[in-house]
């Protein structure tokens, strides 16, 4: 299960009416079906969130479906690709920046008018510890995640006086399809998994629900005096780095 999937399920359990958007139509529809079968409200829209016209259409259909402007935006999308900078193609650099960072600008841009009209809203962006600390082989991913943290701070300042809070989360390694692919490609998957567990002082990698709980806090009124922050949820990884 991905982090977005866990967030959609937790928010629906808490009574949110969820519009889930993903480029993977099969997985997105399955998530929406699971939530509906459990009695929650969720509908799925196929969307490449790095394309402005598609984002605009999803925001409009979400507002129409539920008869109100979107009041909470979770920007979760992210793709990874490994290469040191001197071997990295410009096309891969641009692709990662577009999907990971530009998409969060686009989704925010099209959700904000409704939040500004309502004078309330919460945006939560998923960054990464790779936006805070240096790790090998991911210059474009790290740059996109650092950009998300800066964008979060800037937008928090811009919209605070209008009742809109903007925060982000920097997860450590979380067990999802993204990291499963990295493990599967490793020469010795069991060794890599053990190394990841050891790297996190709490002795395990994260679960998607660990991140979803943080997102719920930042989206809810429980965090009504929190904006412009980066909540690190990493099993203690960054305390060990420091
Ligand atoms: N898994 C980790 O260890 C980890 C750690 C730190 C940060 N993160 C971040 O958490 C977020 C979620 O990661 P995950 O591990 O759940 O990944 P995942 O690969 O499991 O899920 C990512 C989802 O994004 C969708 N997607 C990809 N490109 C898209 C596009 N252009 N438009 C719409 N949807 C698109 C995919 O179909 C997939 O459903 C990402 O931003 C990732 O960078 C993950």
């Amino acid at each position: 299960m991905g982090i977005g999937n866990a967030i959609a399920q937790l928010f629906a359990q808490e009574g949110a009416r969820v519009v889930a958007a993903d480029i993977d139509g099969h997985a997105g529809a399955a998530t929406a079906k699971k939530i509906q079968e459990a009695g929650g409200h969720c509908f799925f829209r196929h969307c490449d969130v790095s394309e402005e016209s598609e984002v605009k259409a999803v925001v409009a259909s979400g507002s129409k479906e539920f008869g109100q402007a979107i009041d909470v935006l979770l920007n979760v999308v992210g793709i990874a690709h490994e290469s040191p900078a001197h071997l990295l193609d410009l096309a891969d650099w641009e692709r990662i920046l577009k999907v990971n960072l530009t998409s969060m600008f686009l989704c925010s841009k099209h959700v904000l008018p409704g939040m500004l009209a309502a004078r309330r809203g919460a945006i939560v962006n998923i960054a990464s510890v790779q936006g805070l600390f240096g790790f090998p082989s991911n210059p474009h991913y790290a740059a996109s995640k650092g950009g998300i943290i800066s964008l979060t701070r800037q937008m928090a300042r811009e919209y605070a006086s209008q009742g809109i809070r903007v925060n982000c989360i920097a997860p450590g390694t979380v067990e999802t399809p993204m990291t499963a692919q990295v493990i599967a490609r490793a020469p010795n998957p069991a060794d890599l998994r053990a190394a990841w567990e050891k790297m996190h002082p709490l002795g395990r990698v994260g679960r998607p629900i660990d991140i979803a709980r943080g997102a719920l806090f930042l989206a809810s009124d429980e965090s009504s005096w929190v904006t412009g922050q980066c909540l690190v949820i990493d099993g203690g990884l960054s305390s060990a780095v420091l």
Side-chain angles (χ1 to χ4, degrees), residues 1-5 21-24 27 47-51 75-80 99-100 103-104 126-130 141 145 148 169-179 181 196 208 211:
M1 180 195 294
I3 291 170
N5 189 311
D22 199 292
I23 204 166
D24 181 343
C47 178
D48 178 344
V49 291
S50 66
E51 293 298 332
N75 281 316
V76 186
V77 72
I79 54 173
V99 172
N100 292 8
S103 68
M104 299 204 180
I126 304 298
S128 165
V129 288
Q130 295 201 38
Y141 184 82
K145 295 301 183 179
I148 291 167
I169 295 176
T173 307
V174 182
E175 195 160 15
T176 68
M178 179 191 270
T179 43
Q181 283 173 18
W196 279 355
I211 310 306

Side-chain angles (χ1 to χ4, degrees), residues 7-88:
I7 289 174
Q9 288 189 42
L10 182 63
F11 276 55
Q13 277 166 27
E14 293 291 323
R17 294 179 298 169
V18 178
V19 183
D22 199 292
I23 204 166
D24 181 343
H26 180 71
T31 298
K33 188 164 177 261
K34 194 170 173 188
I35 289 172
Q36 286 157 8
E37 284 171 358
H41 294 276
C42 178
F43 80 96
F44 171 70
R45 286 288 178 270
H46 182 274
C47 178
D48 178 344
V49 291
S50 66
E51 293 298 332
E52 184 161 19
S53 58
E54 295 189 30
V55 169
K56 203 172 166 183
V58 169
V59 172
S61 74
S63 305
K64 195 170 164 206
E65 175 78 19
F66 292 132
Q68 67 164 85
I70 291 169
D71 51 5
V72 169
L73 170 65
L74 272 297
N75 281 316
V76 186
V77 72
I79 54 173
H81 165 254
E82 292 181 9
S83 168
H86 70 287
L87 298 175
L88 180 58

